[in-house]
Every structure is written in structure tokens, then in C-alpha cells.
Amino acid sequence: MAKAAKTTKKSSTKSSASDNLDFVLHSLQEAHEKSPKYDASEDELLTFYEQMLLIRRFEEKAGQLYGLGLIGGFCHLYIGQEAVAIGLQSALDNDKDSVITGYRDHGHMLAYGIDPNVIMAELTGRQAGISKGKGGSMHMFSTEHKFYGGHGIVGAQVALGGGLALAHKYNEDGGLCLAYFGDGAANQGQVYETFNMAALWNLPIVFVVENNQYAMGTSTVRSSAETEFHRRGTAFRIPGMDVNGMDVLEVRNAAEIAFKHVREGGGPVLIECNTYRYRGHSMSDPAKYRTREEVQGMRDTRDPIEALKKVLMEKGKTEEELKAIDKAIRARVAESADFAETSPEPEPAELYTDVLVEEY
């Protein structure tokens, strides 16, 4: 009888904790769904539009330069996913917070407001590039902006993001880490090791799954038993949020809720941004695993830039005004390409710099 009573008591305690846990895990999602769109001012709307359009035009130009042989190696374009980086990073405190991502990283750097010239120069391997031409498309880095890559090993940036979050907590600097990864990396073991440590140590980190549905070329329904990636943190008591990654206002709204939770000491959050890339996984991917009709359907009905353009026009912006913005951005991107093409390549001696840490 004594053993039975003990078992009953333990079960009752666990049930009570689970009820509380269920509330914690769903409370952020409930707050987001209650009012899913960020109440942006007209100036903010215009800024979001310009930033997303800059990423789109920049990536289109990068694709052209790759085709001309001016960009070597791999090149992963962000076309279609612009609302994710802009919606999230526009809510960061750039003096405190850090960002780390995978190798589809040009858009995230542009979202920071980093000069397109030095990004394009890096893509083309020039000395003037933000990583002195040694990082290229996949390994851009800027400690000045607290942007820590650009990582070629799938999922590795998540564990490094955990380290950045630990540094924020250790230094008591009030910052948080925004760690991006894709649906293709979501089944990596190191992701869950980091989830466990982040939750255990109550680290200030927001994990973001950029679910573009196909990873390298396999749809999520064929590669993942659980395709609702925002649920993946449940076992570690990490609240998840399911967000429309094709709407910059919804992404920004989710960012406001998640960042507030983390800054107030609530621990890590996992956001799934459901988005879509229009191009292949990389420039060398013909993307034959999906139909042209599917891609065109997304462009026609869910494009993040066109959706925001419609909002701006409803608020009084004219077609001519928005065309003028596009023209100016195209000119800015062309300038960055010219800068990159005319910049010198690194000197051979540059191979021997930045190899070891020289100051501690």
C-alpha cells in the first residue's frame, strides 16, 4: 500500500507540472495568434519594403554574376525568404544582440544594413570584401555587427549560437542570440543538444527554423516524421511559435513577442518561419523536384514583397513612387556589382592572415 501511495503522489505531481508546462509552451503562440500582425508605422512599412526589395535585387544580381563566372564555389540565394530576415532583424538591438546563420547568408547581412558593396565584393572574392575575400558566399562574418556567419556545416551554427547566448548571459550584456537554421538541419543531433543546454541554463537565445519546405531537395514530408518544426523544442520545455514567414508584419510581430520573453529571463524560444525559396537550393541546383506551376503559384499568391506593396498602395503610395524606389535600388545594386568587379583580388600574403587567434 505504501508503494502504491508513493506512485500516486509522484504521478499527481508530474501531472500538475505538465499542465503548467502546456500553458508555458503555448502561451507565446496564443499571444501571436491573438494579434498576428505588427502595427507598423508608414515609415516602418516603407523601410521593410525597401530592405526586402534590396535583398531581392541584390540576389538577382548575384545570380547573374555567378552565371558569368565572377562568383565561384557555391552560391545560395535568398529570393522568396526576404520577410524572415527583415521581420526578425528589424526587431533586434544592434548594439547588444548577435546573429548566426547557415550558408544562405547574404540576405541576413543586408538586413543588418551592411554596405552592399562589401557584401558583393566578398561574393566575388575581392580584398574589399567584408571577410577580405576569403569567406565568399558561404562564410561571411562581421564581428563589428555581431554577425558570426555564414557556416557551411549543416546545423553547426546552432551549437555556436548556444555559445554566443552563453556569452551574453556570462557577460550580463543584456543581449540575445538569434540563431537561424533550416528544415534540412532540423534533424541534426547537435541541434537538440543545444536545445537541451539552452533550456537547462536558461540562455537568451531565439532559435529560428527557416522552413523553406525542401531543404536541399527533399520535401519535409519525405524527410521528417514531425513536420511541425515549432514543436521540436517541446521535450526541452522550449515554447514554440508557428509563423507565416511570407508576411514581414507577422514575422516582426512574432519577433516582438519572442524577444520580450527572452529579455525578461524566460529562456529560449523556437520560431518556425514557414517560407519558400523560388530558386534551387544553390545556383547549381536545377530544382527538378518541384513543378514550375508550384513555384509560380507561390510568386503569384504569397510573395512577401508584393504583399507589402499592396499594403503601401492601400495607404496612399502610388505605383510611380514604388517604381522609383525599385529603380533606385537596382541602381544601388548595379553600383555594388561594379565596385566588386573593379576591386583587386587579395594579395597572396593574405592567405597567412587570420589563421590563428593572435590576441587573447
Side-chain angles (χ1 to χ4, degrees):
M1 289 295 292
K3 283 187 177 181
K6 185 177 180 181
T7 302
T8 302
K9 183 177 180 181
K10 183 177 180 182
S11 175
S12 174
T13 302
K14 290 195 76 172
S15 175
S16 175
S18 296
D19 290 344
N20 182 56
L21 173 60
D22 188 64
F23 169 76
V24 172
L25 288 174
H26 293 87
S27 59
L28 300 185
Q29 181 67 24
E30 289 165 4
H32 176 60
E33 290 179 354
K34 188 175 180 180
S35 180
K37 288 186 184 283
Y38 175 67
D39 185 16
S41 67
E42 288 193 30
D43 285 345
E44 285 178 310
L45 288 172
L46 197 57
T47 298
F48 295 161
Y49 180 74
E50 291 171 344
Q51 289 177 316
M52 288 197 296
L53 198 55
L54 175 61
I55 293 174
R56 177 73 56 91
R57 300 301 179 230
F58 183 95
E59 294 290 68
E60 289 170 349
K61 178 61 73 173
Q64 292 173 11
L65 295 185
Y66 187 91
L68 293 170
L70 293 170
I71 295 174
F74 291 100
C75 182
H76 306 80
L77 303 182
Y78 204 61
I79 297 173
Q81 300 182 212
E82 298 89 352
V84 177
I86 297 303
L88 290 168
Q89 287 172 230
S90 62
L92 290 175
D93 183 332
N94 292 338
D95 293 327
K96 297 178 181 178
D97 301 330
S98 59
V99 173
I100 192 165
T101 187
Y103 42 76
R104 195 181 305 276
D105 57 0
H106 321 155
H108 303 87
M109 297 204 85
L110 289 165
Y112 253 136
I114 297 173
D115 184 356
N117 284 13
V118 298
I119 301 175
M120 195 69 85
E122 187 60 39
L123 283 171
T124 53
R126 308 304 170 116
Q127 177 68 38
I130 198 161
S131 298
K132 301 178 184 177
K134 297 186 290 187
S137 170
M138 297 172 65
H139 303 285
M140 295 191 190
F141 206 91
S142 175
T143 52
E144 177 188 352
H145 294 88
K146 296 183 175 60
F147 180 84
Y148 295 94
H151 288 272
I153 304 300
V154 175
Q157 74 276 11
V158 180
L160 294 172
L164 290 168
L166 179 60
H168 285 304
K169 183 170 183 176
Y170 183 83
N171 293 325
E172 298 181 347
D173 59 17
L176 63 80
C177 177
L178 186 60
Y180 294 93
F181 62 105
D183 52 284
N187 297 317
Q188 288 275 332
Q190 58 195 327
V191 171
Y192 299 95
E193 292 177 49
T194 308
F195 282 1
N196 183 58
M197 294 170 76
L200 191 62
W201 296 343
N202 203 44
L203 298 183
I205 185 168
V206 176
F207 300 103
V208 180
V209 185
E210 292 194 82
N211 181 7
N212 62 28
Q213 316 302 319
Y214 285 98
M216 284 186 69
T218 304
S219 68
T220 56
V221 294
R222 294 181 58 222
S223 61
S224 296
E226 172 58 275
T227 58
E228 300 292 328
F229 293 100
H230 59 281
R231 297 176 180 173
R232 296 290 187 98
T234 302
F236 307 98
R237 304 190 180 190
I238 298 176
M241 300 181 73
D242 185 17
V243 180
N244 175 10
M246 301 299 276
D247 186 325
V248 69
L249 298 180
E250 289 199 30
V251 178
R252 174 58 187 266
N253 188 68
E256 294 283 331
I257 295 168
F259 293 1
K260 182 175 185 290
H261 175 87
V262 173
R263 294 193 199 285
E264 291 179 349
V269 175
L270 173 61
I271 298 177
E272 177 186 359
C273 287
N274 287 284
T275 184
Y276 196 86
R277 54 172 168 79
Y278 297 161
R279 302 288 185 93
H281 171 70
S282 70
M283 286 297 296
S284 59
D285 173 18
K288 293 182 178 179
Y289 41 81
R290 57 187 183 180
T291 65
R292 289 184 179 181
E293 289 76 18
E294 177 185 312
V295 178
Q296 192 59 49
M298 291 295 291
R299 282 184 177 273
D300 292 344
T301 61
R302 296 192 61 197
D303 186 80
I305 297 174
E306 288 300 316
L308 193 57
K309 180 179 178 180
K310 184 178 178 181
V311 172
L312 285 166
M313 293 183 73
E314 287 172 353
K315 290 186 175 292
K317 290 292 179 184
T318 66
E319 185 76 37
E320 289 70 27
E321 287 176 304
L322 297 178
K323 281 183 178 179
I325 290 172
D326 192 6
K327 183 178 179 181
I329 288 174
R330 287 177 185 273
R332 181 68 188 88
V333 169
E335 178 190 323
S336 72
D338 291 340
F339 174 81
E341 290 182 53
T342 56
S343 294
E345 295 183 355
E347 293 292 330
E350 192 63 57
L351 285 169
Y352 301 98
T353 66
D354 305 317
V355 177
L356 300 173
V357 175
E358 296 173 0
E359 294 181 9
Y360 295 89

